[in-house]
Amino acid sequence: MADDHDAIAKEFAEAVNMAPADLEKWLDTDDSKRVGWKGEGGDGKGESVGHQSGRRIVAIKRKKKVDLTDDDYAHMKKVVSYVHRHLAQGGPKKDAAHSDWRYSLMNWGHDPEK
């Protein structure tokens, strides 16, 4: 299990290239709150899945390794999968820097402009 956790932590560290303070600052922006899937049957006005994930990423990154739980590792694995899948889709050809594609990735802790 420790080996799995080490591998997950390594992949997470590679996928999440935003520092906790930078991610928190981003999550406070209107663009961050605007993008992302708000859930089935919702009114489209709640917090997106990615925005919730961003808050959890900040908490995980601020924890000591010995304090990480199995749920934390499961979320880290989810983040890695999302970032890899989203990057593989590729961003828009024009103005990727100001795109919902980039903003969504940033909610998940990855800034493709870095």
Side-chain angles (χ1 to χ4, degrees), residues 15-113:
V16 176
N17 66 359
M18 295 175 73
D22 293 334
L23 183 50
E24 276 183 322
K25 185 177 177 182
W26 164 250
L27 292 171
D28 281 341
T29 68
D30 289 339
D31 283 329
S32 170
K33 294 172 185 170
R34 178 182 55 77
V35 299
W37 186 65
K38 308 269 197 284
E40 288 184 35
D43 59 7
K45 296 180 183 175
E47 184 178 29
S48 73
V49 173
H51 200 272
Q52 291 171 11
S53 178
R55 290 186 297 106
R56 178 118 189 242
I57 290 165
V58 169
I60 287 170
K61 287 192 72 142
R62 288 201 168 133
K63 282 186 177 184
K64 294 178 183 165
K65 186 175 181 179
V66 298
D67 294 330
L68 293 172
T69 66
D70 286 342
D71 284 343
D72 290 331
Y73 282 103
H75 190 73
M76 291 162 76
K77 204 170 172 179
K78 181 178 178 179
V79 169
V80 169
S81 293
Y82 178 86
V83 169
H84 287 175
R85 189 173 60 251
H86 211 64
L87 286 172
Q89 293 171 353
K93 301 283 185 244
K94 293 183 179 180
D95 201 20
H98 300 99
S99 67
D100 288 355
W101 173 80
R102 177 181 179 223
Y103 296 163
S104 182
L105 272 166
M106 289 173 68
N107 278 352
W108 288 81
H110 182 85
D111 184 353
E113 296 286 307

